[in-house]
Structures are given as structure tokens and as C-alpha cells.
Amino acid sequence: MTATTPTTPKAPAPRGTSADAGGRERVSAFWSLSRAMLLGMKRDRTATFFILLFPLVFLVFFGAVSKGDHSPHAKVAQVGAVKLFDSIQGPDRAGLDKVLTITHTDDEAATLEKVRKGDFDALIKQGADGKVELRFTAADQVRAGALQGILNSVVQEANQAATGQKPAYVLDSQQVEDKSLKPIQFLTPGLLGWAVATGAVFGAALTLVNWRKSKVLRRLRLAPISAGTVVSSRILVSLVTALLQTTVFVVVATSFFGLKLTGNWWLIIPLVACATLAFMSIGLLAGSVAKTEEAASGISQVIVLPMSFLSGSFFPMDGAPGWLKTVSEFMPLHYLVSSAQSVLTRGGGVMDALPTMGGLLLFAAVLTGISWKLFKWEDA
């Protein structure tokens, strides 16, 4: 028998070394992909404009149009002597002049024609029997209603002064919000929601289709990078973009247009983060089924544009038909806009945002699951 030389057992590799190395590689790949996506968006000036600057143009436009517009001011033509108006003096006259611009004229027929053309909002005259006559245009329903309310108030005060008797009932009417409330308080949350939705949907959809066509997804699939790393990198880029949009919107609205934030305004940050995941899942679905960038853009437009109008981003849905309001309640942007208005400008708290955040995350999970089933690494 030949003697065998005993072999010295090799020392085991330190526990966790391979796992730690794999973890570092995944983290390195994640940051490299995220950096590449951010640099790509920075270099694509067209994408940067439409995602970050184009929504801001809307905010500046609407903010400038509505700035200083606190009450409807009407232009009234007074034909001849109207004792009802002529007798108002002092502070009452100053208050009347703030809401009415009164122009004196003697030609009733010509003035009435100017009212029809819109040069004046109304004509007022007083007959021999003391009856005050108002002729107005209904082209602007809001202004026409305000004008009738002003005249009714003036008539009631004049009647009270003439009879010397106090009215049996007095209405004390006060708004519940801050009296300094401006249109920008309603515009900013809606336009911000539209900007976040547009950036997340289009960013995810177009990136997915572009990477598939340029074979980037194929190379990533062959590389030692998991699909989770690719998706998480895209999520990070979308979140950074959305939070940058939010910061720019809030800074511009507060600095230049008088937006007043409530105490819990910081809740907009987690709210926007959850909404970004929800809208990104819509983009992933569009990018999964579209074969070209044109198709992805068209699908995204069909989804985002109606959702923006039906969710209160540009105008309130209070006067919409009931069935249209029901359709709006199935859209995630409706809940983002509503909760954003609550926490930014109406004094809402955690419970005004928490249910919305939960619903948005659930929506994102469902659509991401569907996108995962339809996802293709390469064109068929």
C-alpha cells in the first residue's frame, strides 16, 4: 500500500463575501443606470422642455391672467339721470366704483346696441314712475349674475332708507376660506397634478419603447443585471423628475403669484411620490403594448389628455353631469388633484392624503402586474 499524504483542508471563504460582492454589484448597476437615464434626459432638451418647462408655462400663463382678479368688474352705461345711483355718496360710492364702471350717456338706442356687441355689460335707466330698468348681456353668465346681485343690493338699501324700516331678516354671509384666497390657490394643485401625470406616463412609455427598438433592453437582459434593477432605476428617475416639478411649481407660485401654503403642505411630497408610481404604471402598460414611439405617444395622449380635463386639473367639475363625475372618479388624477388642493391650500391633514396614497399605490401595483405579463424584451 502506498501511503497517502494528508491534505490540509482549505480555509472556508469568509461568510457573506460572495453575497456582499453581488449586492455591491447590484447597487453599482442601479446607480449607473439611474445616472445614465438622468444624463440622457438632460441631454434631450426636447424631453426636458415638455416634462419640466412646458407645464410651468401653463402655470405662469394662468397665474398671470388670474393675478389680481378678485371680483367681477362690470361696465355699465347710465342713460340720463338715475336717482338710485346719483344719490350714493361717500364711502358707499367708493365701494360701488370698485365693482362698477359707470359711463353716462343720453342715447339709449345706440347704448343698447353697444351692450349687444359687448362694449358695455349693461344699460341702466330710471323711468318717470321711478322704476329702475336694467338691460344686460348674458354673454358672461358670471358677470351678469354679479351685476344683478349688486343692483338688487343697492335697491334694497335704497328702499330701506326711503321707508325708514329695518328689514325683518338679515343675512350674514361669510366665506369659510381666507378672504385673501386667490385663483392661484386652485390652479397650482391642478396644474401640478397634470404635470406629474404627463411626465411619469410619457417618460415610462417612451423610454421603454425606445430601449426596445435600440436593443438596449436586449443588452441589459444579457448583462448580469436583474429586471428589478432596471425598473427601480426608472422609478428613481421618475421620482426625481416629479419632485423637481413640485419644487419648481411651489416656488414659482409662492414667489410670483401669491400662493399661500397651509401648515401641512409638506404632505404633497409623499402624495406626489405615490402618484408618480401610479402614473408610471400607466406608462409601463402603454410601453408594453406599443411597438413604436409614435404609438406609445398616441396611447399616452389618449389616456392623459381626457384624464386631465375630467379630473379637475384645468377647471372644476362641479357643474358637470352626474355620469361624467362618475367617470372622473375612476381616474387616479382626480384623487391626486383633490388631495393636493386639500393639503396645499385648504388646511387638510394626514387623513386627507393617506387614503389617496393607499389607493394610488394599489392602482400602481395592479397595472404594474398587468404590464409585467405583457412586457417583451424584444420586438416580436
Side-chain angles (χ1 to χ4, degrees):
M1 294 181 61
T2 57
T4 57
T5 305
T7 58
T8 304
K10 294 181 179 180
R15 176 177 291 183
T17 301
S18 59
D20 291 344
R24 286 194 296 270
E25 289 178 0
R26 286 193 294 270
V27 172
S28 176
F30 168 76
W31 287 115
S32 297
L33 277 174
S34 301
R35 182 174 180 273
M37 292 181 193
L38 287 171
L39 289 176
M41 187 179 71
K42 178 183 176 182
R43 290 167 184 164
D44 190 346
R45 296 183 179 179
T46 303
T48 302
F49 172 78
F50 279 102
I51 292 176
L52 293 178
L53 298 182
F54 187 64
L56 187 62
V57 171
F58 274 72
L59 177 66
V60 173
F61 173 76
F62 284 114
V65 168
S66 62
K67 190 174 183 180
D69 185 17
H70 302 294
S71 60
H73 196 97
K75 296 180 293 182
V76 177
Q78 176 180 321
V79 178
V82 178
K83 187 177 180 181
L84 179 68
F85 280 178
D86 296 339
S87 61
I88 301 177
Q89 301 296 330
D92 292 338
R93 185 71 190 190
L96 185 64
D97 290 339
K98 287 182 179 180
V99 293
L100 297 181
T101 297
I102 301 175
T103 302
H104 294 268
T105 180
D106 294 322
D107 192 338
E108 180 178 353
T111 304
L112 195 59
E113 185 63 26
K114 289 183 178 181
V115 173
R116 291 192 181 97
K117 292 181 178 179
D119 295 334
F120 290 107
D121 296 306
L123 174 152
I124 188 170
K125 69 174 185 176
Q126 188 167 2
D129 56 354
K131 181 188 292 185
V132 178
E133 298 180 10
L134 177 69
R135 303 290 181 265
F136 62 89
T137 173
D140 188 333
Q141 294 285 349
V142 175
R143 187 165 296 174
L147 185 59
Q148 293 177 77
I150 292 169
L151 187 59
N152 284 332
S153 177
V154 173
V155 170
Q156 289 177 11
E157 290 184 9
N159 287 335
Q160 179 182 340
T163 59
Q165 297 180 356
K166 294 183 178 180
Y169 302 97
V170 177
L171 175 64
D172 183 9
S173 177
Q174 297 182 13
Q175 67 183 53
V176 296
E177 301 94 349
D178 186 347
K179 290 184 179 180
S180 62
L181 199 64
K182 300 177 182 179
I184 196 67
Q185 304 290 107
F186 304 97
L187 288 172
T188 302
L191 292 177
L192 174 60
W194 167 68
V196 170
T198 301
V201 172
F202 278 83
L206 295 178
T207 297
L208 193 57
V209 173
N210 179 268
W211 281 15
R212 187 185 295 119
K213 286 186 63 179
S214 59
K215 307 300 181 182
V216 172
L217 285 180
R218 184 175 185 274
R219 290 193 291 270
L220 289 175
R221 186 184 187 186
L222 297 175
I225 300 174
S226 66
T229 302
V230 178
V231 174
S232 59
S233 300
R234 181 64 246 183
I235 290 175
L236 176 64
V237 173
S238 296
L239 288 174
V240 170
T241 303
L243 294 177
L244 182 59
Q245 287 175 321
T246 303
T247 302
V248 171
F249 261 70
V250 172
V251 169
V252 171
T254 53
S255 301
F256 299 99
F257 300 110
L259 175 68
K260 293 188 177 181
L261 301 174
T262 62
N264 293 314
W265 67 267
W266 58 269
L267 286 169
I268 194 65
I269 298 174
L271 190 61
V272 164
C274 294
T276 300
L277 297 179
F279 297 126
M280 184 181 170
S281 68
I282 297 176
L284 290 175
L285 182 60
S288 296
V289 300
K291 295 184 179 298
T292 64
E293 292 180 350
E294 290 79 9
S297 178
I299 294 173
S300 300
Q301 284 281 16
V302 168
I303 295 173
V304 173
L305 199 58
M307 183 168 59
S308 300
F309 282 102
L310 296 178
S311 299
S313 293
F314 299 107
F315 50 81
M317 294 289 293
D318 298 338
W323 67 269
L324 207 55
K325 292 181 180 179
T326 302
V327 172
S328 173
E329 291 173 357
F330 285 92
M331 299 180 176
L333 186 55
H334 166 81
Y335 297 97
L336 171 61
V337 171
S338 178
S339 296
Q341 287 177 343
S342 180
V343 300
L344 276 179
T345 62
R346 295 178 179 175
V350 174
M351 294 311 299
D352 292 284
L354 198 59
T356 298
M357 288 190 284
L360 290 171
L361 291 177
L362 179 61
F363 179 89
V366 172
L367 254 66
T368 301
I370 298 174
S371 303
W372 188 272
K373 293 292 184 181
L374 299 175
F375 175 77
K376 295 178 181 178
W377 287 93
E378 300 181 60
D379 290 327

